[in-house]
Amino acid sequence: MEANLSACPTYHAGAEPHPTSILDPRQQSPDNEKPAAPTSSHPQLQAHNDHTMAEAPKPSSSVKLVLLGEAAVGKSSLVLRFVNNDFQENKEPTIGGETLTWHATAAAFLTQKCNLPTRTIKFEIWDTAGQERFASLAPMYYRNAQAALVVYDLTKPTSLVKAKHWVAELQRQASPGIVIALVGNKLDLTNESGDADSEGADGDESGDARKISTEEAQAYAEEESLLFFETSAKTGHNVSEVFTAIANAIPETSLKSTRGPGAANAVSRGGDEQRVNLNGPREAAKEGCAC
Amino acid sequence: MDEIAPEYDVIVLGTGLTECILSGVLSVKGKKVLHIDRNDHYGGEAASVNLETLFKKYGNFQQGTEPWKAYGRPADWNIDLVPKLLMSSGELTNILVSTDVTRYLEFKQVAGSFVQQNSGSKATIAKVPSDAGEALRSPLMGIFEKRRMKSFIEWVGTFDANDAGTHKGLDLSKATMKEVYDKFGLEAGTRDFIGHAMALYLDDTYLDAPGKAPESIERIRLYGNSVARYGKSPYIYPLYGLGELPQGFARLSAIYGGTYMLNASVDEVLYDGGKATGIKATMGGIEPEMKFETKAKFILGDPSYFPSKVKVVGHVLKAICVLKHPLAGTGDADSAQLIIPQSQVGRKNDIYVACISSAHNVCPKGYYIAIVSTIAETSANHHLELQPGLDRLGKIEEQFLGPPIPLYEPLEDGTKDNVFISKSYDATSHFETTTDDVRDIYRRATGEELKVEGLREGLQVSEE
Ligand SMILES: Cc1cc2nc3c(=O)[nH]c(=O)nc-3n(C[C@@H](O)[C@H](O)[C@H](O)COP(=O)(O)OP(=O)(O)OC[C@H]3O[C@@H](n4cnc5c(N)ncnc54)[C@H](O)[C@@H]3O)c2cc1C
Ligand SMILES: Nc1nc2c(ncn2[C@@H]2O[C@H](COP(=O)(O)OP(=O)(O)OP(=O)(O)O)[C@@H](O)[C@H]2O)c(=O)[nH]1
Ligand SMILES: [Mg+2]
């Protein structure tokens, strides 16, 4: 597992490194996308796509992974931990006297590689960007996703209800072969937080904040054939394990010749020479696919 | 459920392509956007729907039957309600690239661009020549006409509006396109395919408009540049249908903080002294439904949200057809645009046939979707107006033909009431008029020109 350790003090909403799409301009010009934030005051998720290229001769494929889960369960935090090995404590913005968690803390489009013994998986991670808040997620979001991380907060019972809703939604809308991982996050808030060093760090006086037992969630995950993990984005516990497990669970067959969004489960794989790279230089474009 | 903020910079009503591009751009520019649609899906009139939805929309089946079941999984169908293609060097492509919305979408070329000559049993279909070499090989012209066409195309390539030396002695501030054609001695049939299949005019009024020649030349150039970009045709098309376009821009808007709400009906637009100040709305699809009121500095919307503020400027006729074979005469192209110029079939407006297939992930393998469209010229027997196009399709498995579709335009420019209304998607085969409308609305609403080049980089720089 490659983790990008570059220090990244802030989130950049709107930061989206590119998938390996043939429309990806960065394949022509490797300019690293500088993240953009709507306003400087907002929590920002720094996007790094300047991962050092592991020059391994192993086959490499892209996998679209979508995040789903109730607000504030830690979706973006898990990705931030996985991609940048970083964690942000909530700023708890008070707006008009109300405490809100900002919905645009979207790790809107990050990529991270996962090195397996026989192959490299490059995750193209899509965050919901808040469109799920009012049940307004676009079908495009699920389109050709090969993996999904459905996150709940194991200190918050409603979040498991919501997670089950998302699992059902994925089973209805997403590609049939999608690998779904159910993730109970914020394990550090429980007594058995997994990491010895984090034990006693928080929540020891207040006791165990766990509201959803491992057994309950695990039983549900087994019933629905989901991968299951309890994690802490805060301590990093089990985070890379989730992604590695997903990478391992993706069937080899569905990895063949993946290229760009839509490639994996395309109804028709023919006529690829007709695919176009809108970002490419115009002369080069005539030669067809840039990859 | 989350809370709706008491105030936004902009409320956008409808998630058609025009609205989604504007929403995305405004969010990137830091505006706080609330984007609402009364439907439970994105795209409005610019959506792509599955076959079951299409049957139900047109209602052309017997109660109790499920004819869509004969056509594979409904979800494998993405049928556009608006038949359009993108010009590969057009403005929409430019906006897609500048905003990086390309990362959510994948495009394929449309395999060919064709034009019909003559009608009935004498009708022939030929590729539209896009450069001098193709002009010389084209069956559309005789040997001498080919040479004249070649020199015309070469001249279009070197034409510079600001250099009178390239104007062939014409005063282009006054000259008509007819005079330009006269200069090259081009025949009527050649003018027809240049004006209709390359400049993509829908009728012949452009011929006699004084001073319009440079615009026509620009349009021919756009065609040529678009073909030159990828080779097969000037058109490209997004996998899974045009409905992906509004979704892509909606995602852009959301990433920059835009709030999205489908399934929400606008109960009332609030005004103060004649100026729109906000809305009252109800979000359905949840129990209990959520009523809310919020303010905005201005409101954008498609015509359907403001029936009293728009007028009908014409009607489009459209037949969506499911085929099991490619269009005849296109060399079995998996996708094609066929233009039947009006004069060839005794009409005032061209007939368009756009055909796409499983190559673009819009239907299961073996199927083709052809949409025949034109501007209505009569008030009855609309299928007869489309007939020359339908004649090109061969055996039709299913045909969806609704009543004429009204085209709306706003009555006012919005500066008085702070309500900026888009135009309906017109009968053109591409999105150039849509992006014109986007620019126009942006200018009216913000008082600035929309500059998409470097839109996101600009922000990133100011961020540092
Ligand atoms: C940590 C944090 C969490 C936040 N959480 C929320 C939240 O849960 N819900 C929410 O609606 N807003 C949230 N915001 C954005 C918020 O603080 C807005 O500024 C707020 O709604 C005040 O609006 P206003 O109209 O009073 O201020 P304005 O003066 O209109 O806004 C201040 C600036 O923030 C920008 N802005 C406002 N809202 C957003 C947004 N949602 N995304 C991006 N830029 C925005 C505006 O364009 C403007 O530049 C959060 C901000 C921060 C820093
Ligand atoms: N203690 C603890 N807090 C966490 C953990 N993961 C996330 N958080 C906090 O939970 C809050 C929400 O995290 P986010 O990552 O923004 O959650 P999200 O699911 O992306 O939320 P939305 O984008 O609003 O839907 C933040 O304050 C995080 O600091 C965790 O493992 N442990
Ligand atoms: Mg988030």
Side-chain angles (χ1 to χ4, degrees):
Chain A
M1 181 75 52
E2 255 188 333
N4 188 322
L5 297 174
S6 55
C8 167
T10 52
Y11 286 35
H12 275 244
E16 299 183 89
H18 287 241
T20 47
S21 162
I22 55 164
L23 299 176
D24 184 349
R26 267 129 284 244
Q27 292 185 346
Q28 277 71 44
S29 53
D31 57 322
N32 185 16
E33 179 172 62
K34 295 274 167 39
T39 62
S40 53
S41 64
H42 291 141
Q44 294 159 342
L45 180 52
Q46 173 85 46
H48 282 275
N49 62 344
D50 54 341
H51 310 307
T52 39
M53 297 296 264
E55 287 325 326
K58 282 183 286 189
S60 169
S61 11
S62 291
V63 166
K64 174 174 172 181
L65 178 147
V66 296
L67 293 168
L68 289 164
E70 195 175 73
V73 294
K75 299 182 293 293
S76 304
S77 297
L78 283 166
V79 173
L80 183 66
R81 171 62 72 191
F82 173 57
V83 176
N84 286 338
N85 198 15
D86 192 14
F87 180 76
Q88 291 288 303
E89 226 35 90
N90 193 8
K91 308 275 186 301
E92 295 217 302
T94 307
I95 293 159
E98 274 179 288
T99 298
L100 295 170
T101 20
W102 185 38
H103 65 245
T105 62
F109 208 130
L110 292 158
T111 58
Q112 176 65 296
K113 282 198 199 138
C114 191
N115 278 313
L116 302 181
T118 57
R119 60 191 186 185
T120 302
I121 302 279
K122 185 174 171 204
F123 284 111
E124 296 162 5
I125 303 165
W126 292 47
D127 203 341
T128 55
Q131 278 174 299
E132 82 288 11
R133 288 300 164 110
F134 298 104
S136 302
L137 212 50
M140 164 185 277
Y141 188 70
Y142 299 103
R143 178 118 41 227
N144 295 316
Q146 289 155 281
L149 213 66
V150 178
V151 187
Y152 67 93
D153 175 345
L154 43 71
T155 69
K156 207 173 161 215
T158 58
S159 72
L160 182 62
V161 176
K162 192 77 198 184
K164 290 179 178 174
H165 157 85
W166 285 121
V167 170
E169 194 71 2
L170 283 166
Q171 287 165 344
R172 198 171 65 84
Q173 294 235 35
S175 331
I178 189 167
V179 173
I180 305 174
L182 179 70
V183 175
N185 189 39
K186 308 199 183 180
L187 187 64
D188 57 281
L189 300 178
T190 69
N191 282 338
E192 5 78 72
S193 60
D195 281 3
D197 58 342
S198 72
E199 230 153 342
D202 349 61
D204 51 348
E205 321 89 345
S206 52
D208 194 343
R210 179 192 283 274
K211 295 277 163 48
I212 297 167
S213 74
T214 309
E215 294 69 36
E216 179 191 353
Q218 184 139 37
Y220 166 71
E222 268 163 29
E223 212 170 283
E224 300 291 338
S225 311
L226 316 174
L227 298 172
F228 173 66
F229 287 89
E230 290 188 338
T231 62
S232 167
K234 186 169 177 171
T235 66
H237 179 78
N238 252 354
V239 175
S240 61
E241 285 79 354
V242 176
F243 289 87
T244 310
I246 291 174
N248 276 312
I250 302 220
E252 195 96 34
T253 48
S254 80
L255 290 173
K256 294 247 162 66
S257 73
T258 50
R259 56 210 278 201
N265 301 294
V267 176
S268 156
R269 300 285 308 133
D272 267 356
E273 73 286 352
Q274 260 168 254
R275 295 194 186 214
V276 296
N277 181 346
L278 293 186
N279 303 76
R282 298 190 173 202
E283 302 73 35
K286 253 201 150 166
E287 287 147 34
C289 174
C291 19
Chain B
M1 252 321 126
D2 283 69
E3 291 294 312
I4 294 294
E7 183 166 3
Y8 291 84
D9 291 328
V10 190
I11 295 172
V12 184
L13 304 178
T15 56
L17 181 58
T18 311
E19 287 71 34
C20 286
I21 296 174
L22 284 161
S23 174
V25 168
L26 289 163
S27 288
V28 174
K29 295 250 182 194
K31 294 280 188 282
K32 185 170 170 170
V33 176
L34 174 64
H35 200 158
I36 286 181
D37 197 308
R38 67 167 84 80
N39 299 315
D40 63 0
H41 58 266
Y42 285 87
E45 289 304 307
S48 306
V49 301
N50 69 39
L51 201 56
E52 181 177 343
T53 308
L54 197 69
F55 267 106
K56 289 181 174 166
K57 189 177 159 71
Y58 282 85
N60 58 338
F61 64 102
Q62 295 260 300
Q63 275 299 318
T65 64
E66 295 183 317
W68 51 87
K69 294 225 159 133
Y71 295 94
R73 295 194 318 173
D76 285 342
W77 292 84
N78 297 291
I79 303 165
D80 302 328
L81 297 178
V82 175
K84 282 182 185 289
L85 305 168
L86 285 83
M87 302 289 291
S88 66
S89 287
E91 184 55 21
L92 182 54
T93 305
N94 182 28
I95 295 175
L96 281 160
V97 171
S98 303
T99 53
D100 271 350
V101 169
T102 44
R103 70 172 54 135
Y104 312 131
L105 305 166
E106 198 162 359
F107 290 87
K108 261 192 179 178
Q109 287 189 67
V110 171
S113 163
F114 298 87
V115 64
Q116 174 172 329
Q117 263 190 344
N118 300 317
S119 63
S121 57
K122 293 216 317 248
T124 55
I125 287 172
K127 186 172 190 292
V128 179
S130 66
D131 60 26
E134 282 191 350
L136 288 178
R137 290 190 300 274
S138 175
L140 289 166
M141 296 161 287
I143 177 88
F144 297 110
E145 182 68 356
K146 281 184 165 109
R147 301 229 178 100
R148 290 187 284 268
M149 176 65 181
K150 175 173 180 282
S151 72
F152 173 76
I153 289 192
E154 284 166 352
W155 173 73
V156 166
T158 56
F159 175 82
D160 176 355
N162 299 318
D163 177 0
T166 64
H167 295 182
K168 288 266 172 188
L170 292 164
D171 175 0
L172 288 186
S173 63
K174 295 203 198 73
T176 63
M177 199 56 200
K178 180 174 177 300
E179 289 169 298
V180 173
Y181 289 146
D182 287 346
K183 198 91 195 165
F184 287 87
L186 293 170
E187 292 167 1
T190 312
R191 294 174 192 213
D192 245 14
F193 76 71
I194 295 174
H196 295 266
M198 297 177 79
L200 301 171
Y201 285 112
L202 294 162
D203 58 35
D204 263 347
T205 51
Y206 80 100
L207 274 175
D208 298 311
K212 279 286 188 137
E215 180 202 281
S216 305
I217 295 164
E218 217 29 72
R219 292 171 73 135
I220 298 165
R221 277 224 294 233
L222 171 62
Y223 186 94
N225 290 341
S226 292
V227 177
R229 195 161 178 193
Y230 300 115
K232 289 193 173 176
S233 83
Y235 305 111
I236 55 173
Y237 185 87
L239 295 189
Y240 303 103
L242 297 175
E244 299 293 282
L245 296 167
Q247 291 180 47
F249 285 101
R251 180 165 165 83
L252 173 73
S253 180
I255 283 161
Y256 281 84
T259 298
Y260 273 83
M261 194 181 272
L262 301 179
N263 249 320
S265 54
V266 179
D267 303 320
E268 190 183 344
V269 177
L270 305 168
Y271 292 90
D272 182 10
K275 290 203 180 276
T277 55
I279 57 164
K280 282 187 181 173
T282 307
M283 186 189 169
I286 46 163
E287 285 299 328
E289 56 179 28
M290 180 177 77
K291 290 205 174 286
F292 63 93
E293 179 174 336
T294 186
K295 290 202 169 99
K297 301 192 179 75
F298 60 91
I299 298 179
L300 306 180
D302 74 45
S304 69
Y305 290 84
F306 299 98
S308 64
K309 291 176 184 277
V310 295
K311 61 179 180 218
V312 175
V313 293
H315 286 90
V316 177
L317 305 177
K318 178 182 72 180
I320 299 173
C321 302
V322 173
L323 314 179
K324 275 188 176 163
H325 53 81
L327 284 190
T330 63
D332 287 349
D334 62 28
S335 48
Q337 168 81 294
L338 166 64
I339 293 177
I340 307 176
Q342 28 90 330
S343 60
Q344 306 293 320
V345 289
R347 290 177 51 77
K348 293 195 202 64
N349 294 278
D350 296 348
I351 298 172
Y352 287 142
V353 182
C355 181
I356 43 175
S357 68
S358 59
H360 298 83
N361 298 3
V362 294
C363 55
K365 235 183 160 52
Y367 288 102
Y368 295 75
I369 301 167
I371 306 187
V372 181
S373 61
T374 190
I375 292 176
E377 295 175 6
T378 61
S379 51
N381 292 324
H382 293 114
H383 61 284
L384 293 182
E385 293 200 51
L386 291 171
Q387 198 57 47
L390 296 170
D391 285 345
R392 301 273 67 81
L393 304 188
K395 181 164 186 286
I396 297 169
E397 308 299 323
E398 298 290 345
Q399 179 175 323
F400 303 87
L401 172 71
I405 302 154
L407 297 181
Y408 297 100
E409 278 184 13
L411 290 167
E412 293 183 350
D413 71 1
T415 43
K416 259 195 252 159
D417 57 5
N418 280 348
V419 174
F420 301 90
I421 304 169
S422 59
K423 296 179 183 170
S424 304
Y425 301 98
D426 63 18
T428 59
S429 60
H430 48 67
F431 287 103
E432 299 307 299
T433 48
T434 305
T435 49
D436 287 348
D437 197 29
V438 165
R439 288 184 177 281
D440 194 41
I441 294 169
Y442 188 86
R443 186 185 316 112
R444 275 146 48 198
T446 67
E448 289 168 24
E449 289 296 322
L450 172 60
K451 195 173 169 293
V452 290
E453 287 75 17
L455 188 63
R456 296 185 71 167
E457 292 93 53
L459 259 186
Q460 289 152 12
V461 169
S462 66
E463 189 63 25
E464 283 159 6

